Amino acid sequence: MKLSESKRENFYFYLFISPWLIGFLVFALYPILSSLYYSFTDYDIISKPTFIGLDNFRELFQDELFYKSIVVTLKYTFISVPLGLFLSLIFAMLINMKIPAQGFFRTAMYFPSMISGVSMSLLWFWIFNPEAGIFNYILSLFGVKGPAWFLDEKFAMWALIIMTFWGVGAGMIIFLAGLQGVPASLLEAARLDGASKWKTFWNVTFPMISPVFLFQLIMAVIESFQVFTQAYVMTQGGPNYSTRFYVFNVYVSAFKDFRLGYASAMAWLLLLAILIVTVIIMKSSNRFVYYEGGRD
Amino acid sequence: MSNSVTERNTHVTMDPAALKADSRRKMTIGEIIAFILLICITITMIFPVVFMVSTALKTSKEMLQFPPTIIPRVFAWENFRTLFANEEIKFGILYKNSIIVAVVSVIGTVFSSALVAYGFTRYRAKGKRILFMLMISTMMLPYPAVMIPQFILFSNLGWVNSFLPLIVPTFLGSAYQIFLLRQFFMSLPNELYDSGRIDGCTEFRLFWKIALPLSGPALATVAIFTFIWTWNDLLGPVLYLSSQEKFTLPVGLAAMMSSKFRIAPYNLLMCASIMTTLPIIAIFASAQKHFTEGIVLTGIK
């Protein structure tokens, strides 16, 4: 009886999860393995892939555009991720104070995050227009002559980084929920002990929201490794490759140059990079992340 | 905006004495500064959106004027009509395509993710732990890392330039949504299923008649998220949709930007952006509570 019951459960378990299992095999596991295979081949999708060993990787390490795309992506990540996390946490803390119209502020700041990446890109390309754009007009009111932004290789990246400010609302909402989950009794105890606001933040509030912080950090890094929309819609990777993001570079080499083997090699390196960075962040997080009720 | 979450500890750090006079309490200097800062930040945040609407309502001539006007001198409402009537843009078709892809993806994702989540919640089985870990780890799998083999697969099937590569995978569940629904199903007590069991319901009926009807809010969250993700997705449609008749809104908008116009018609582009954003705003407004909860749920895990 017992055996048949566990067999029955086994059967239904696999029956119910079969959609995911099929999806996992066909759209995750198979692509990961086959892209590893393709990365050792020369393949243009029309003729059959030919095995060329490590040639793709050898070529990659001499490919200036490949290095450029790594530098561009890392630069964007190192500036926009900390800035975004910092601002969204600060804004969440401001809203979490005892002030009127909290709901309004929360909705208003989240609002730009509802607009799609493509629409946002169109809007900002117009705002940053060197001649008729409103950004340079506002700068001119302060006596600053604005640069040509997306038309100038020194400033295109900065324009993209400035844009991220309008996306902090999504992170802000998550931090706000985290802040509101900090038990009032802990804050009260800190206050009674005469702890300063600064000390209360670093010793009570931050440890309590550190798991949220960790999650946001990892997701933000993974996301910024995969920037595509801005490059595709606004800059096409230019000017002079100054916004040639990694994924855009993969896209061009796979779907414009039809070098699917070469692009697969890059895609695989991206997967590895994300894996390694995630592990590094997780490992180093032991120092700053506090789990209530211990770790399992 | 509903404040159920916010209200919980609005008063946390106050003395019992101060609590009484709470509503008429004067704000401290720090709170006043925070309030003023928030007003400035909010104005900065909202300004580009205001400028989007303003540009959408300008005539092509006023659009190029420098310095730019914030409130258009002439409201060019006909821009919206032009957008839908323009033969080259085919905005109506873009809209229809986006709706088809998004709605079918929502149905596929909600149904399949619920099935899988139910399986992971209700049954004990060999290999369950490992499979669950695998599923969680695929949440981190970057799409660009698998897009090339997927493309090769779909092009061998002859599915390129159709919606199939975009919608068929949604019927096989999404790791995020499975996880979210599993968390919800875990909170349903086992006793709920007992009566159904006694009545001799099949396992599928237990799922369909007991688990699903009780999961309205969670299913709504999954539906909303899936809709927004699909609606705004660019990379997938860019890879698979090659003819303009098949374009979804993001691809169509991007194409408008890069096309033959000497000066991009930003007023029309902004009209298109507004029309693209409206469904999202409508959904957000009607389901705010689920939405915020959902962000929090998926955000914190």
Side-chain angles (χ1 to χ4, degrees):
Chain A
M1 184 65 199
K2 206 165 180 214
L3 190 78
S4 76
E5 170 64 18
S6 81
K7 263 191 184 152
R8 202 186 66 91
E9 285 209 33
N10 258 318
F11 171 74
Y12 280 113
F13 172 74
Y14 283 99
L15 188 67
F16 272 93
I17 72 156
S18 58
W20 171 77
L21 207 55
I22 296 167
F24 172 74
L25 295 174
V26 179
F27 296 121
L29 192 64
Y30 165 75
I32 291 173
L33 296 178
S34 66
S35 89
L36 183 61
Y37 164 72
Y38 287 128
S39 70
F40 297 116
T41 65
D42 188 18
Y43 187 30
D44 62 0
I45 210 163
I46 298 160
S47 45
K48 281 214 148 63
T50 41
F51 191 82
I52 53 168
L54 286 169
D55 281 5
N56 283 331
F57 293 94
R58 246 176 247 130
E59 190 185 336
L60 268 184
F61 291 117
Q62 284 157 17
D63 181 347
E64 275 181 44
L65 218 48
F66 172 70
Y67 283 114
K68 181 80 190 172
S69 73
I70 293 176
V71 171
V72 163
T73 308
L74 286 182
K75 184 176 168 190
Y76 181 78
T77 304
F78 275 118
I79 302 172
S80 75
V81 170
L83 202 68
L85 278 179
F86 175 73
L87 289 176
S88 49
L89 180 56
I90 295 280
F91 294 172
M93 286 170 63
L94 286 176
I95 292 185
N96 198 37
M97 287 172 86
K98 284 164 279 171
I99 47 143
Q102 286 178 319
F104 167 76
F105 286 127
R106 189 169 56 167
T107 308
M109 282 194 198
Y110 185 72
F111 198 86
S113 305
M114 280 193 278
I115 301 172
S116 75
V118 173
S119 298
M120 266 307 204
S121 300
L122 295 174
L123 173 64
W124 282 94
F125 201 69
W126 175 225
I127 288 177
F128 278 124
N129 185 298
E131 282 107 38
I134 198 157
F135 200 90
N136 278 359
Y137 171 67
I138 292 173
L139 287 182
S140 75
L141 297 179
F142 296 96
V144 179
K145 194 180 176 317
W149 297 112
F150 289 119
L151 305 180
D152 184 333
E153 63 172 299
K154 284 198 218 66
F155 287 96
M157 175 59 83
W158 289 104
L160 291 177
I161 288 167
I162 292 172
M163 273 175 66
T164 57
F165 174 80
W166 280 265
V168 300
M172 187 268 306
I173 286 200
I174 297 173
F175 275 130
L176 189 58
L179 288 171
Q180 282 161 355
V182 177
S185 55
L186 286 182
L187 295 170
E188 181 66 13
R191 199 184 65 85
L192 289 175
D193 287 347
S196 67
K197 290 234 157 99
W198 184 250
K199 277 203 145 164
T200 311
F201 175 76
W202 283 112
N203 295 319
V204 180
T205 313
F206 190 77
M208 291 303 289
I209 61 165
S210 54
V212 181
F213 189 88
L214 173 68
F215 177 76
Q216 297 249 70
L217 175 65
I218 293 177
M219 293 319 275
V221 170
I222 293 180
E223 215 171 278
S224 85
F225 275 15
Q226 298 180 54
V227 170
F228 171 76
T229 303
Q230 292 93 314
Y232 181 83
V233 178
M234 297 193 277
T235 61
Q236 293 293 315
N240 196 19
Y241 306 112
S242 61
T243 59
R244 182 92 171 189
F245 284 95
Y246 195 92
V247 168
F248 184 75
N249 199 38
V250 175
Y251 163 80
V252 171
S253 103
F255 299 102
K256 295 279 170 224
D257 306 342
F258 293 104
R259 302 191 59 196
L260 283 87
Y262 192 58
S264 291
M266 284 192 254
W268 237 86
L269 291 176
L270 174 72
L271 187 65
L272 270 185
I274 286 181
L275 199 71
I276 291 169
V277 170
T278 310
V279 169
I280 290 175
I281 297 176
M282 295 287 270
K283 288 274 177 213
S284 64
S285 73
N286 289 341
R287 282 189 217 155
F288 72 85
V289 173
Y290 167 80
Y291 289 98
E292 220 178 335
R295 192 183 293 270
D296 44 42
Chain B
M1 176 134 242
S2 87
N3 261 336
S4 56
V5 200
T6 342
E7 266 157 21
R8 210 185 306 145
N9 64 0
T10 315
H11 309 131
V12 287
T13 52
M14 290 186 5
D15 304 324
L19 253 168
K20 275 188 213 151
D22 179 34
S23 58
R24 272 166 291 123
R25 186 185 65 96
K26 282 209 180 103
M27 280 160 64
T28 63
I29 302 278
E31 284 156 17
I32 292 172
I33 295 173
F35 189 70
I36 294 169
L37 265 176
L38 277 172
I39 291 176
C40 299
I41 297 165
T42 306
I43 291 173
T44 320
M45 285 281 204
I46 290 301
F47 182 76
V49 182
V50 172
F51 191 63
M52 177 191 264
V53 177
S54 141
T55 307
L57 294 175
K58 284 178 190 173
T59 60
S60 303
K61 202 163 149 243
E62 191 177 351
M63 177 186 92
L64 292 172
Q65 216 166 58
F66 196 81
T69 46
I70 302 298
I71 298 165
R73 256 185 304 257
V74 192
F75 284 88
W77 294 104
E78 68 271 14
N79 285 346
F80 284 94
R81 204 178 319 131
T82 315
L83 176 70
F84 278 95
N86 190 307
E87 300 263 311
E88 268 181 88
I89 301 169
K90 299 195 179 92
F91 197 69
I93 293 178
L94 299 182
Y95 223 89
K96 191 191 80 191
N97 292 343
S98 267
I99 290 174
I100 293 173
V101 172
V103 169
V104 178
S105 301
V106 166
I107 296 170
T109 306
V110 169
F111 184 69
S112 60
S113 303
L115 266 179
V116 176
Y118 185 84
F120 272 118
T121 320
R122 290 276 297 151
Y123 305 106
R124 270 166 303 178
K126 266 188 223 126
K128 177 170 148 177
R129 256 183 80 90
I130 293 169
L131 288 172
F132 189 70
M133 295 298 282
L134 265 180
M135 193 206 63
I136 296 286
S137 60
T138 59
M139 294 194 335
M140 301 256 184
L141 187 68
Y143 179 66
V146 291
M147 68 181 181
I148 296 167
Q150 281 190 11
F151 183 86
I152 296 167
L153 189 73
F154 286 126
S155 75
N156 285 338
L157 289 171
W159 285 4
V160 170
N161 202 24
S162 80
F163 298 147
L164 290 174
L166 303 175
I167 57 185
V168 168
T170 66
F171 283 83
L172 301 173
S174 135
Y176 259 108
Q177 318 297 7
I178 293 169
F179 182 75
L180 198 148
L181 286 170
R182 175 197 172 257
Q183 299 302 87
F184 188 85
F185 287 152
M186 297 275 273
S187 70
L188 298 177
N190 264 329
E191 291 75 42
L192 278 175
Y193 303 101
D194 290 346
S195 60
R197 198 102 342 114
I198 291 161
D199 291 348
C201 284
T202 61
E203 292 296 319
F204 185 77
R205 265 185 83 83
L206 290 177
F207 163 74
W208 191 252
K209 289 284 173 191
I210 295 175
L212 279 195
L214 287 170
S215 315
L219 296 173
T221 308
V222 170
I224 291 168
F225 270 112
T226 311
F227 185 88
I228 294 175
W229 279 340
T230 340
W231 188 261
N232 289 341
D233 184 30
L234 177 70
L235 186 48
V238 156
L239 299 189
Y240 292 109
L241 309 176
S242 46
S243 77
Q244 214 193 344
E245 272 65 39
K246 292 278 164 43
F247 281 179
T248 55
L249 283 164
V251 195
L253 260 60
M256 271 171 81
M257 176 82 180
S258 61
S259 60
K260 34 292 159 179
F261 306 105
R262 198 176 57 84
I263 297 164
Y266 284 104
N267 49 358
L268 294 187
L269 283 169
M270 293 302 114
C271 285
S273 294
I274 292 172
M275 293 306 297
T276 306
T277 313
L278 278 183
I280 308 283
I281 296 174
I283 287 174
F284 184 77
S286 59
Q288 263 174 25
K289 202 164 155 281
H290 298 317
F291 196 84
T292 325
E293 276 169 10
I295 294 170
V296 171
L297 254 176
T298 45
I300 296 176
K301 307 212 296 175

